[in-house]
């Protein structure tokens, strides 16, 4: 069998391309599970805010803690043996909530309705940014769902938490399903 | 000196082995449908190439049911991983010598 350097180079490029697609596919699959999990939690959080607005703060704290713990658990479970605890992911959640809390509560003193719009769009911003490195699907999800949240903020009236339960929570689940199939 | 692997050399089989060896050793493998998307092969074509690789003991397929739907998962064997690594080394040696 004779293979020219040009053919060998093309085959190696083909291999690199497939390996890159496998890695991206794995990232999408992991992200899709996380998205669907957060979608379910967002529905719960918004239903609590709809049914018992007084408990919305506590409800969201619980939802966020469960979501962060489950996300870390899912990432840990998917890692190869011998790779340590994902401290950077834990730090990322810490920074996310610290900066969000700093702006939402300390600096801007957002009202509940504004907070309800701030947290999902702030969360989705990272999806939109992640898409610049990990695949366009992340950006489409981040920008698309943020636009729907803003539309609800402007026009959904008192039903905004319920709107968010269906549009944001349901949207995350649908986007996760779509990402899984991408 | 490295030599080409006649089985892996074929383009679809090369892509199959590249995809399967991109996973960690202990991963459960790739589903047939994912492998089809990644390699751009048709069902029948991919099936034939997987049979070829399985006969050489480069891959192993596991069939299971998820609900009522059959699911075939394909995984590279240790000898398949070694053969692929040798083939890649051979391709690199051509470029280095070329």
């Amino acid at each position: 069998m004779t293979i020219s350097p040009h053919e060998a180079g093309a085959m190696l490029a083909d291999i690199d391309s497939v390996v890159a697609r496998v890695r991206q596919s794995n990232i999408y699959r992991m992200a899709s599970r996380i998205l669907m999990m957060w979608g379910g939690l967002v529905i719960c959080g918004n239903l609590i805010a709809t049914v018992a607005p007084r408990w919305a703060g506590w409800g969201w704290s619980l939802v966020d803690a469960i979501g962060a713990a489950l996300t870390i658990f899912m990432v840990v479970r998917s890692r190869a043996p011998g790779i340590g605890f994902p401290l950077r992911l834990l730090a990322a959640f810490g920074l996310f909530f610290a900066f969000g809390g700093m702006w939402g509560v300390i600096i801007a003193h957002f009202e509940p309705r504004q907070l309800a719009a701030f947290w999902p769009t702030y969360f989705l911003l990272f999806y939109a940014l992640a898409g610049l490195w990990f695949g366009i699907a992340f950006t489409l999800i981040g920008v698309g769902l943020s636009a729907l949240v803003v539309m609800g903020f402007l026009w959904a009236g008192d039903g905004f938490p319920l709107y968010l339960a269906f549009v944001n929570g349901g949207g995350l689940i649908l986007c996760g399903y779509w990402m899984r199939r991408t | 000196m490295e030599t080409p692997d006649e089985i892996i050399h074929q383009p679809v089989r090369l892509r199959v082995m590249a995809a399967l060896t991109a996973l960690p050793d202990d991963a459960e493998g790739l589903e047939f449908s994912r492998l089809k998307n990644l390699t751009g092969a048709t069902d029948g074509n991919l099936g034939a190439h997987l049979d070829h690789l399985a006969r050489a003991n480069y891959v192993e397929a596991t069939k299971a049911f998820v609900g009522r739907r059959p699911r075939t998962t394909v995984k590279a064997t240790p000898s398949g991983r070694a053969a692929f690594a040798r083939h890649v080394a051979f391709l690199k040696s051509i470029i280095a010598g070329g």
Side-chain angles (χ1 to χ4, degrees):
Chain A
M1 184 188 298
T2 309
I3 301 172
S4 71
H6 177 74
E7 287 171 321
M11 285 177 195
L12 288 171
D14 201 17
I15 290 169
D16 287 343
S17 161
V18 171
V19 169
R21 288 176 64 196
V22 170
R23 287 192 180 140
Q24 187 180 49
S25 164
N26 285 341
I27 290 171
Y28 272 26
R29 284 170 81 86
M30 166 57 66
S32 78
R33 289 191 199 112
I34 291 172
L35 266 181
M36 288 194 271
M37 181 270 292
W38 275 104
L41 288 172
V42 163
I43 289 174
C44 293
N46 281 301
L47 288 179
I48 292 170
T50 303
V51 176
R54 277 189 182 184
W55 294 94
W58 288 106
W60 275 114
S61 299
L62 182 66
V63 160
D64 289 339
I66 292 171
L70 283 177
T71 302
I72 291 169
F73 172 74
M74 289 160 86
V75 170
V76 167
R77 217 179 61 159
S78 72
R79 288 158 79 105
I83 296 178
F85 186 80
L87 281 174
R88 276 190 291 190
L89 184 61
L90 188 63
F93 272 114
L95 288 169
F96 175 84
F97 288 115
F99 270 76
M102 180 182 77
W103 270 104
V105 180
I106 298 171
I107 296 176
H109 301 292
F110 287 146
E111 297 293 321
R113 185 182 181 84
Q114 293 167 318
L115 272 178
F118 167 72
W119 282 107
T121 50
Y122 176 52
F123 175 82
L124 290 164
L125 166 67
F126 291 92
Y127 263 85
L129 292 176
L132 303 178
W133 284 271
F134 300 117
I136 190 69
F138 288 99
T139 301
L140 293 175
I141 288 168
V143 173
L145 286 181
S146 291
L148 289 172
V149 170
V150 172
M151 286 164 68
F153 177 77
L154 294 173
W155 298 309
D158 291 341
F160 187 43
L162 199 58
Y163 172 90
L164 284 177
F166 285 100
V167 172
N168 189 27
L172 287 172
I173 291 172
L174 285 176
C175 288
Y177 184 71
W178 168 63
M179 189 172 248
R180 189 181 172 82
R181 297 183 66 86
T182 298
Chain B
M1 182 186 170
E2 292 90 356
T3 53
D5 186 304
E6 302 276 352
I7 296 166
I8 295 176
H9 180 67
Q10 198 280 337
V12 173
R13 294 198 286 266
L14 183 75
R15 286 190 203 123
V16 167
M17 291 307 295
L20 295 178
T21 55
L23 301 172
D25 288 0
D26 63 335
E28 65 174 10
L30 285 174
E31 290 167 29
F32 187 90
S33 56
R34 267 182 93 189
L35 209 44
K36 199 176 79 170
N37 286 338
L38 287 164
T39 58
T42 61
D43 280 357
N45 194 13
L46 180 59
H49 286 302
L50 286 176
D51 281 346
H52 207 112
L53 289 166
R55 280 199 300 275
N57 193 32
Y58 285 176
V59 301
E60 58 190 12
T62 310
K63 295 187 185 205
F65 277 87
V66 178
R68 289 182 179 179
R69 298 176 65 182
R71 188 174 75 173
T72 302
T73 307
V74 187
K75 186 178 176 178
T77 62
S79 61
R81 285 178 179 275
F84 182 73
R86 283 194 302 272
H87 190 69
V88 170
F90 165 72
L91 294 174
K92 286 180 178 171
S93 72
I94 291 175
I95 292 175

